[in-house]
Amino acid sequence: AQSVTQLGSHVSVSEGALVLLRCNYSSSVPPYLFWYVQYPNQGLQLLLKYTTGATLVKGINGFEAEFKKSETSFHLTKPSAHMSDAAEYFCAVSARGSYIPTFGRGTSLIVHP
Amino acid sequence: EPEVTQTPSHQVTQMGQEVILRCVPISNHLYFYWYRQILGQKVEFLVSFYNNEISEKSEIFDDQFSVERPDGSNFTLKIRSTKLEDSAMYFCASSESGAGGPRGELFFGEGSRLTVL
């Protein structure tokens, strides 16, 4: 069975600062990995996903994540935070060939002016 | 842009009452899902549905829960006799079908918040 751990329930950054949201996964074989975002009063939206190929994955809104097998990590980054990035971010994992995600607890990103 | 829609956005009910949450998946999607998120906890998988039957379900999805596709557009989650611990945000999702199973990511609705008093 796959699982993910998101370090930090809340991350606070200043506008323009680097965003780093951490995610580590547990899986016996390399899984599929996802980041979803949930803006206030909205549903879950896929930011990016890793299935195969290039380990650095670029997503929407300037976010990217890198799959590091040796570290079992899939951290989400963005070079410069914007106020509109304030949201809940969920890392998720699924078995290879399945797109049914198992979610982490989520990290709330707070962006200060 | 096609989207998954859910109704109601918020429902308050008394313990022991039946609740039906409704979802309209994206029209060309054939796989449907329900997830839930209890306040402050993980988003948890409940059930997946394909070809008018459950394809996978979690241990949370016990006999109190049922799903149905009553017509060509709606996908419903019924909780037969609600308990306090059923209070949560319930998310519906859908995905495309490929060879041998779902293909591509899940598209989620905005959720239905259920409050059981």
Side-chain angles (χ1 to χ4, degrees):
Chain A
Q2 298 79 32
S3 66
V4 291
T5 302
Q6 291 185 243
L7 297 175
S9 59
H10 294 83
V11 169
S12 182
V13 299
S14 298
E15 192 174 19
L18 171 73
V19 175
L20 170 61
L21 304 182
R22 298 178 186 273
C23 173
N24 289 89
Y25 69 89
S26 173
S27 177
S28 56
V29 296
Y32 290 174
L33 292 159
F34 311 83
W35 276 99
Y36 281 83
V37 61
Q38 184 181 26
Y39 298 105
N41 301 315
Q42 295 188 27
L44 296 162
Q45 180 183 4
L46 183 69
L47 265 181
L48 49 79
K49 65 179 185 285
Y50 169 78
T51 55
T52 58
T55 56
L56 181 63
V57 180
K58 295 186 185 299
I60 61 173
N61 301 336
F63 284 93
E64 60 184 36
E66 186 170 10
F67 169 62
K68 292 188 176 181
K69 184 180 176 182
S70 61
E71 298 177 10
T72 61
S73 69
F74 191 58
H75 301 329
L76 182 71
T77 61
K78 181 174 180 177
S80 176
H82 194 272
M83 296 296 290
S84 61
D85 294 326
E88 190 84 12
Y89 291 81
F90 295 92
C91 183
V93 63
S94 74
R96 295 195 71 77
S98 166
Y99 288 87
I100 302 177
T102 298
F103 286 89
R105 288 187 178 276
T107 299
S108 179
L109 177 64
I110 302 161
V111 182
H112 296 288
Chain B
E1 184 177 327
E3 59 182 18
V4 175
T5 57
Q6 292 185 238
T7 55
S9 57
H10 189 192
Q11 181 158 356
V12 181
T13 190
Q14 295 292 323
M15 191 169 54
Q17 294 297 304
E18 176 184 282
V19 162
I20 297 176
L21 305 179
R22 291 182 169 79
C23 169
V24 179
I26 294 173
S27 61
N28 64 332
H29 287 185
L30 299 179
Y31 278 86
F32 314 120
Y33 312 84
W34 284 100
Y35 280 76
R36 78 171 185 191
Q37 184 182 28
I38 295 171
L39 189 63
Q41 298 187 26
K42 292 185 181 185
V43 177
E44 302 171 294
F45 170 75
L46 292 178
V47 65
S48 61
F49 189 87
Y50 172 74
N51 197 26
N52 281 321
E53 61 183 31
I54 291 172
S55 51
E56 194 172 336
K57 64 180 181 179
S58 72
E59 60 190 24
I60 301 169
F61 194 87
D62 61 21
D63 292 342
Q64 294 287 352
F65 293 92
S66 62
V67 288
E68 190 179 26
R69 188 155 164 82
D71 52 44
S73 60
N74 288 285
F75 177 54
T76 62
L77 174 69
K78 181 190 290 186
I79 308 175
R80 188 171 308 125
S81 178
T82 50
K83 304 186 285 285
L84 295 176
E85 54 264 37
D86 293 327
S87 294
M89 181 72 89
Y90 289 81
F91 292 104
C92 175
S94 68
S95 66
E96 295 179 348
S97 175
R103 181 176 69 90
E105 68 266 24
L106 275 61
F107 289 79
F108 286 83
E110 294 185 359
S112 293
R113 181 168 297 285
L114 175 65
T115 302
V116 182
L117 302 177

